[in-house]
């Protein structure tokens, strides 16, 4: 297994360890995933041929509760990537004080090359293959890159079919009509927005004077772009996997979202579609977007985007990590020296799993909340933990990332030690 990403991910923990007094047992415990499953999923394609896809599910740690995390469909999905993402989920759930451990799953494929029905057979096949590894009190699935509520609905239905009982709590991010929570599809962006608002007010930054660039225009990035623009932030650049667009005066985000539904790429929206109302704009690559002269940079696509190679070219003063792991450890060091404030993924994008938790609670109770209730509870959680992490960072004089790991570690160690280990060593 290529350890690169996981090795990098676990280095974040090592830095935090020097600021907390934590038992050797807990440290040892957190070094390894609890269980990793690799499966082969046979899928009958529309042309009659049979294709085998590789899928993964990693449950990293369940000391604080059932494990929780999304399922990713992407050509780069590997055991190393899924393990890293499961590790981050463990800390994210602890930082937000959710009664969950961390997990993640994925299938290696380019979903854009499959028909809807092939995707349905693949998603159901994935659940067949991992059914003994998941469950509402064991491990709970959710959406991530290139998966969505429709896919979550299929997965929930497949699991329920296998169990011979409707089991909504095994998957969150489902359609509202079959037990999903209001506000889950906007939760990652809404949670990030609360963090940004909190921090910008600490620095007396007015939205209309704050320029923003966002890499990634999917569930998280596009929704956040729209929220920020709605509240007067100047979103000057956005991108998707094909590249991006920039307009000095600020972009018309609702028009871009509308146009993107009908065109394949972001640049096509501007170059070929006259529905969009930007007058002056230019196209740019994803790499160029990261080094734009803006106040706020928001990576909201994939990991390893800001590395030792381009970190010194970043001009933004604030980076909010909506993607998981977009900045490598080496880049982190460079940015810290440059005085850039980096707000870490395990806080910034935690709105998604927080509302997933609310969905799971609603599924267990059978009583459903209004959107206002969901967002009010989300706001309370995001504001409280942003403030806690800010205070730890001030108190110890450490980066916000290290502060977030210190915060998560303290909660994890309490749970690990309280549970104890089942292997006793009797001296003498
Ligand atoms: N959806 C959720 O609830 C949560 C998502 N996240 C993280 O947010 C990030 C984005 O996830 P979603 O928005 O859900 O995925 P999505 O599948 O809805 O959108 C992904 C976006 O990234 C773009 N993209 C893909 N490769 C790219 C590249 N190389 N450069 C630039 N853009 C690229 C795609 O074109 C698309 O616009 C991921 O890191 C994910 O793990 C984190 C927490 C929760
Ligand atoms: O909603 C969830 O359970 C997990 C979302 C996720 O995969 C993430 O936060 O990275």
């Amino acid at each position: 297994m290529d350890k690169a990403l996981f090795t990098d991910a676990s280095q974040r923990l090592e830095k935090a360890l020097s600021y907390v007094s934590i038992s050797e047992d807990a440290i040892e415990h957190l070094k390894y995933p609890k269980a990793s499953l690799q499966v082969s999923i046979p899928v009958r394609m529309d042309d009659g041929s049979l294709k085998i896809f590789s899928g993964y599910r990693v449950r990293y740690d369940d000391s604080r509760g059932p494990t929780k995390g999304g399922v990713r469909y992407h050509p780069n999905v590997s055991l190393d990537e899924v393990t890293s993402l499961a590790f981050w989920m463990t800390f994210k759930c602890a930082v937000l004080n959710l009664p969950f451990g961390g997990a993640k799953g994925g299938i290696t494929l380019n979903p854009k090359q499959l028909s809807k029905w092939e995707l349905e057979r693949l998603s159901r096949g994935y659940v067949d293959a991992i059914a003994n590894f998941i469950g509402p009190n064991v491990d709970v699935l959710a959406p991530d890159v290139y998966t969505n509520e429709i896919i979550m609905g299929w997965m929930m239905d497949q699991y329920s079919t296998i169990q011979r009982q409707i089991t909504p709590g095994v998957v969150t991010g489902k359609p509202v009509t079959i037990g999903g929570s209001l506000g889950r599809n906007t939760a990652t962006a809404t949670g990030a927005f609360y963090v940004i608002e909190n921090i910008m007010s600490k620095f007396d930054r007015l939205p209309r004077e704050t320029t923003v660039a966002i890499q990634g225009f999917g569930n998280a990035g596009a929704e956040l772009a729209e929220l920020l623009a709605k509240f007067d932030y100047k979103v000057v650049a956005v991108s998707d996997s094909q590249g991006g667009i920039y307009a000095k005066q600020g972009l018309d985000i609702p028009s871009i979202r509308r146009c993107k539904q009908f065109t394949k790429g972001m640049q096509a929206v501007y170059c070929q579609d006259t529905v969009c109302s930007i007058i002056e704009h230019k196209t740019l690559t994803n790499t160029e977007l990261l080094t734009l002269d803006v106040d706020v940079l928001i990576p909201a696509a994939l990991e390893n985007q800001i590395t030792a190679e381009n970190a010194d070219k970043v001009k933004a003063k604030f980076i909010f990590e909506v993607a998981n792991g977009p900045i490598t450890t080496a880049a982190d060091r460079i940015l810290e020296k440059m005085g850039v404030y980096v707000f870490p993924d395990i806080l910034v994008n935690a709105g998604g799993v927080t509302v997933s938790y609310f969905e799971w609670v609603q599924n267990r109770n059978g009583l459903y909340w209004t959107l206002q209730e969901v967002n009010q509870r989300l706001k309370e959680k995001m504001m409280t933990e942003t403030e806690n992490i800010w205070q730890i960072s001030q108190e110890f004089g450490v980066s916000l990332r290290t502060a977030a790991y210190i915060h998560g570690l303290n909660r994890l160690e309490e749970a690990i030690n309280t549970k104890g280990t089942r292997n006793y060593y009797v001296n003498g």
Side-chain angles (χ1 to χ4, degrees):
M1 175 170 101
D2 175 10
K3 288 255 185 203
L5 187 62
F6 181 59
T7 308
D8 198 72
S10 35
Q11 276 174 11
R12 273 90 205 264
L13 182 59
E14 276 158 32
K15 198 156 181 207
L17 283 173
S18 49
Y19 295 93
V20 286
S21 133
I22 175 165
S23 71
E24 289 298 322
D25 276 10
I27 296 173
E28 194 59 14
H29 193 96
L30 287 168
K31 277 187 194 160
Y32 307 95
K34 180 182 171 80
S36 309
L37 184 64
Q38 179 166 357
V39 295
S40 297
I41 312 153
V43 176
R44 184 66 62 194
M45 306 302 280
D46 291 346
D47 66 3
S49 65
L50 185 76
K51 249 195 172 159
I52 307 289
F53 293 86
S54 294
Y56 307 89
R57 185 74 188 170
V58 174
R59 301 183 59 224
Y60 197 88
D61 181 77
D62 66 352
S63 308
R64 291 176 44 86
T67 49
K68 186 83 189 81
V71 181
R72 177 175 291 198
Y73 287 2
H74 193 273
N76 294 346
V77 165
S78 66
L79 185 57
D80 178 46
E81 183 186 58
V82 173
T83 307
S84 311
L85 290 161
F87 171 85
W88 287 321
M89 282 310 303
T90 303
F91 280 86
K92 194 183 299 180
C93 292
V95 162
L96 267 288
N97 210 6
L98 309 178
F100 286 140
K104 203 84 177 197
I107 305 178
T108 316
L109 85 152
N110 181 351
K112 294 174 189 168
Q113 290 170 354
L114 270 67
S115 72
K116 186 174 176 188
W117 307 125
E118 287 169 341
L119 276 175
E120 177 171 356
R121 290 193 285 275
L122 174 67
S123 305
R124 290 182 183 275
Y126 177 67
V127 172
D128 287 342
I130 66 166
N132 288 336
F133 204 67
I134 60 175
N137 296 316
V138 182
D139 179 28
V140 182
L141 315 180
D144 190 70
V145 174
Y146 295 154
T147 55
N148 57 22
E149 62 169 28
I150 297 171
I151 294 175
M152 295 307 113
W154 292 332
M155 289 185 174
M156 189 277 271
D157 183 60
Q158 189 64 18
Y159 186 81
S160 299
T161 303
I162 294 167
Q163 297 301 322
R164 294 274 179 260
Q165 55 183 303
I166 304 298
T167 318
V170 71
V171 176
T172 58
K174 304 176 289 292
V176 172
T177 45
I178 53 170
S181 175
L182 291 171
R184 174 59 186 88
N185 56 355
T186 52
T188 307
T190 308
F193 178 75
Y194 293 142
V195 177
I196 295 170
E197 281 280 272
N198 182 321
I199 298 303
M200 290 298 115
S201 71
K202 283 192 196 306
F203 286 85
D204 293 325
R205 289 266 179 167
L206 293 175
R208 65 174 180 278
E209 292 163 5
T210 306
T211 54
V212 183
I214 304 182
Q215 185 199 52
F217 203 69
N219 174 287
E223 197 63 45
L224 181 56
E226 186 154 344
L227 253 181
L228 288 169
K230 186 173 155 193
F231 284 87
D232 258 1
Y233 288 85
K234 220 162 156 191
V235 181
V236 295
V238 292
S239 69
D240 64 14
S241 60
Q242 309 301 308
I245 46 175
Y246 170 85
K248 197 174 162 203
Q249 69 273 35
L251 293 161
D252 175 356
I253 304 296
S255 292
I256 300 175
R257 289 191 83 182
R258 253 193 326 273
C259 294
K260 198 171 146 51
Q261 286 179 340
F262 305 107
T263 60
K264 285 201 162 46
M266 176 74 57
Q267 293 183 349
V269 167
Y270 274 93
C271 301
Q272 290 157 21
D273 200 311
T274 50
V275 182
C276 301
S277 53
I278 293 291
I279 302 140
E280 271 182 59
H281 71 273
K282 62 176 190 175
T283 57
L284 79 177
T285 64
N286 268 299
T287 328
E288 286 165 345
L289 181 141
L290 296 172
T291 56
L292 280 175
D293 190 3
V294 287
D295 302 306
V296 171
L297 176 62
I298 303 181
L302 297 172
E303 51 273 10
N304 288 348
Q305 298 301 301
I306 304 177
T307 65
E309 273 72 58
N310 60 359
D312 63 343
K313 298 182 190 69
V314 166
K315 297 183 192 70
K317 188 77 187 156
F318 303 92
I319 303 181
F320 292 89
E321 290 184 325
V322 167
N324 285 302
I327 302 178
T328 64
T329 306
D332 241 358
R333 281 189 220 108
I334 297 169
L335 294 168
E336 204 175 332
K337 277 198 196 126
M338 287 162 59
V340 178
Y341 289 94
V342 175
F343 294 87
D345 44 11
I346 57 172
L347 169 70
V348 177
N349 71 30
V353 70
T354 301
V355 176
S356 276
Y357 164 54
F358 298 161
E359 182 171 325
W360 182 78
V361 168
Q362 293 170 76
N363 290 157
R364 290 167 88 87
N365 288 342
L367 187 66
Y368 287 82
W369 307 348
T370 63
L371 181 60
Q372 205 185 5
E373 278 175 286
V374 169
N375 282 339
Q376 187 49 42
R377 287 177 204 250
L378 173 63
K379 186 172 186 178
E380 269 168 38
K381 278 220 159 276
M382 296 305 296
M383 290 301 206
T384 303
E385 301 309 344
T386 303
E387 211 45 50
N388 283 339
I389 288 169
W390 181 261
Q391 293 307 332
I392 295 171
S393 150
Q394 299 288 307
E395 186 185 330
F396 289 95
V398 294
S399 72
L400 290 138
R401 189 184 313 281
T402 302
Y405 276 90
I406 292 173
H407 193 38
L409 256 177
N410 282 329
R411 286 185 174 147
L412 277 160
E413 120 131 318
E414 250 186 286
I416 292 167
N417 291 344
T418 307
K419 272 180 125 176
T421 66
R422 276 168 229 108
N423 299 308
Y424 299 97
Y425 171 71
V426 182
N427 194 353

